[in-house]
Amino acid sequence: MKLIRSISSDGIKYIDENGIEKYVDFIECNENWINYRKRKENLSDERIESVRGKDKCIGQRDSGTSPRFIEFFTRPFTRFEFEGPNSEHDYAQLRDKIISSGWTTLDLS
């Protein structure tokens, strides 16, 4: 299980399952998302610049599955899973911190 150390508008510092401190960079996640959209939607460079200024997506989330999760568009993806008695609260807390930091995630639920 990953342990979140801190969240800022730039990213998340956390301890992974092996006890190693890692970092999710929200700008990198957003750039990976924009590049995916460029390939998938065959967007021009001009359109990409317009999208880049508006689309603040950095990952995806699902509160309707077990376990609940929030997954970031790192390479490879970084997934935080939420299980146990506080899972709904912990999931909502991370989701809300992402939103208050100016970013979004796709809702898969």
Side-chain angles (χ1 to χ4, degrees):
M1 184 173 142
K2 295 174 180 68
L3 175 65
I4 296 173
R5 304 284 275 175
S6 65
I7 303 171
S8 71
S9 61
D10 296 327
I12 297 175
K13 288 183 184 177
Y14 69 97
I15 305 295
D16 75 3
E17 295 84 351
N18 299 313
I20 299 170
E21 185 167 288
K22 295 200 173 179
Y23 184 72
V24 173
D25 183 325
F26 291 162
I27 294 170
E28 176 186 328
C29 293
N30 180 249
E31 192 61 31
N32 291 338
W33 169 248
I34 298 295
N35 287 331
Y36 168 79
R37 285 194 59 192
K38 181 178 181 178
R39 287 188 313 275
K40 190 73 171 174
E41 299 171 34
N42 197 29
L43 300 175
S44 68
D45 289 341
E46 182 178 296
R47 179 71 178 124
I48 284 298
E49 288 310 309
S50 173
V51 166
R52 186 173 275 118
K54 298 174 189 169
D55 189 338
K56 298 298 183 182
C57 187
I58 58 171
Q60 55 195 4
R61 67 184 191 279
D62 194 338
S63 63
T65 189
S66 183
R68 291 174 174 89
F69 70 85
I70 297 177
E71 187 171 65
F72 296 96
F73 296 143
T74 53
R75 288 188 183 175
F77 287 179
T78 301
R79 180 181 284 210
F80 290 82
E81 295 181 341
F82 302 89
E83 297 181 285
N86 294 325
S87 66
E88 187 173 348
H89 173 267
D90 295 342
Y91 169 90
Q93 188 175 29
L94 179 54
R95 180 201 62 214
D96 294 348
K97 286 183 179 182
I98 291 166
I99 293 167
S100 68
S101 295
W103 300 101
T104 62
T105 51
L106 297 172
D107 187 356
L108 303 177
S109 54

